[in-house]
Amino acid sequence: MPHYYLPVSAQYSILNELISQVTLSIKDKPLGFLNIQHSHNCVQYYCKQKRSDLRGNYIRLEKLSFIKELAQKDYVESFLRACTTMQKELLRLEKLHAERSASFLYHALAAPFEKLSPERKSLVQPYVLPDDLFVASWLSTPYEKKPFYPGDGQIYAEKGFRVRSKSEKIMADKLDRMGIPYLYEFPLDLPPYGTIHNDLTILDIRERIAVRHEHFGRMQDPSYAYKNMQKIDRYIQAGFRPGFDFLYTLEGEHYTVDMKNFEKLIQDRFL
C-alpha cells in the first residue's frame, strides 16, 4: 500500500520555522526553575535558582503568571533540545536522499509536552501537540461556510450538517465511519478564483497536512466539465499535487461514482 510522505526538505523548513518562533518567545523570561510539590492534596510552587536546589522559594498563587512563565521556560528548553536532535536527523536523511513520515518529527516534538506532569501541562502552551489534541484543535477551527440558497436540496450528513448532494453526504458519512477527520467546505484561496469552498478538506494525521477533495458531479454538462478541468489545472498551478494534497472524484448523468472506489482511494491515502 502506498504512503505519502511530506518531503524531508519541507519537514526541515517547518522545524527551522518552529525554532525561530520558539527562540524569540523565550527572550526576557525570568531566571530560575519551577519546582512543583504536593502537600496535603494541594499543589505548591517554588522557584529554584539552580536545578540542584532541593526546594527553592515559595511562590504564592497570586503570582500565577510568574509560575506560568517559569513552566513555559522549562518546557521550551526541553522542546529546543528535541528540535536540535531532529535537525541532525533530518540533515542525515537529506544527505541520504531518504524518506520518512513527518509523524516521526511531530511525535518527537510533541514528546516534551506529553512527558510533563498534569500540573505542568496546565501551565504551558505547547508548540507541537500530540495527535489527539492536534486533531481536536484542527476540527474546532472556526470558519465561514458557503451559504445555501432557496431551492437548494435539504440533504444532511449523519453528523447533522447540511451538504449539497447525496454523493457528498455518502462521502462525508463514509469518512466518519472510517474515523478520518475532515471539514466540509473549508475555505481556500485559489488564484484566480479567490476564496473557494472545496467539498471536503481531509486531515492527513501522520503528515499533518490538509488534503483538498473536490467532487465534480455534473460532468455530463460540457460547460461544467470544461470549467472544472480548468479548476483542476489551477490547483496544480497553485502547487497542489494530485494524489498527495489534492483528490477529486467525477460523476455524470449516466455514471455514478463508485463509493467502493472512493473508500479505496481514502484507505490508500490516509490509512
Side-chain angles (χ1 to χ4, degrees), residues 12-267:
Y12 193 77
S13 296
I14 290 169
L15 180 60
N16 283 340
E17 188 175 328
L18 270 172
I19 291 172
S20 298
Q21 179 185 352
V22 174
T23 303
L24 282 173
S25 75
I26 60 173
K27 288 185 177 180
D28 304 320
K29 288 295 181 185
L31 298 175
F33 307 93
L34 182 65
N35 180 21
I36 299 179
Q37 298 287 328
H38 296 82
S39 178
H40 304 292
N41 295 322
C42 292
V43 180
Q44 296 180 336
Y45 303 97
Y46 298 85
C47 178
K48 300 195 298 185
Q49 298 305 309
K50 298 178 182 177
R51 287 195 183 276
S52 57
D53 291 346
L54 290 178
R55 176 160 292 194
N57 298 319
Y58 177 72
I59 312 172
R60 295 181 178 276
L61 283 178
E62 288 85 349
K63 294 187 175 181
L64 183 60
S65 60
F66 176 66
I67 293 170
K68 288 183 175 181
E69 285 185 332
L70 286 177
Q72 187 73 16
K73 182 168 73 79
D74 289 346
Y75 160 74
V76 164
E77 289 174 357
S78 177
F79 182 81
L80 286 174
R81 287 194 295 271
C83 287
T84 300
T85 300
M86 288 307 303
Q87 266 187 321
K88 294 175 182 176
E89 176 62 11
L90 291 178
L91 282 173
R92 184 185 71 82
L93 291 173
E94 261 195 320
K95 288 178 181 178
L96 295 173
H97 302 288
E99 291 184 326
R100 176 175 280 173
S101 170
S103 63
F104 181 75
L105 168 68
Y106 289 120
H107 289 166
L109 298 186
F113 178 73
E114 287 186 290
K115 291 176 181 177
L116 295 177
S117 66
E119 293 83 7
R120 284 185 180 267
K121 282 182 179 177
S122 68
L123 295 170
V124 306
Q125 294 293 323
Y127 286 96
V128 175
L129 292 167
D131 283 348
D132 57 341
L133 295 180
F134 176 79
V135 171
S137 175
W138 188 83
L139 287 173
S140 65
T141 304
Y143 68 97
E144 188 173 340
K145 293 182 181 179
K146 185 178 176 181
F148 286 88
Y149 299 100
D152 288 342
Q154 295 286 331
I155 305 170
Y156 292 86
E158 288 179 6
K159 276 192 171 179
F161 62 87
R162 191 177 178 185
V163 296
R164 299 180 191 278
S165 71
K166 291 180 181 178
S167 293
E168 289 180 356
K169 167 186 165 49
I170 294 170
M171 290 176 180
D173 292 344
K174 191 169 287 291
L175 288 173
D176 283 325
R177 288 192 290 272
M178 296 171 77
I180 298 173
Y182 68 92
L183 299 170
Y184 181 68
E185 293 194 336
F186 191 78
L188 168 69
D189 183 30
L190 183 67
Y193 299 98
T195 299
I196 67 167
H197 296 78
N198 64 282
D199 301 318
L200 299 167
T201 299
I202 310 170
L203 178 62
D204 179 344
I205 300 172
R206 292 172 299 201
E207 309 303 312
R208 296 200 180 185
I209 62 170
V211 179
R212 301 284 176 160
H213 172 261
E214 290 267 19
H215 178 63
F216 302 117
R218 293 187 291 112
M219 294 302 285
Q220 78 279 359
D221 181 338
S223 62
Y224 174 93
Y226 178 73
K227 180 182 71 173
N228 285 298
M229 287 168 66
Q230 286 184 312
K231 194 175 187 181
I232 291 171
D233 285 341
R234 296 298 185 186
Y235 269 102
I236 296 170
Q237 290 167 15
F240 287 86
R241 290 161 288 176
F244 181 69
D245 52 5
F246 173 50
L247 306 174
Y248 61 89
T249 46
L250 307 173
E251 194 169 27
E253 184 178 6
H254 302 295
Y255 178 78
T256 302
V257 64
D258 188 334
M259 287 302 166
K260 289 184 179 179
N261 288 339
F262 175 74
E263 184 173 352
K264 186 178 187 306
L265 174 71
I266 297 302
Q267 284 177 335

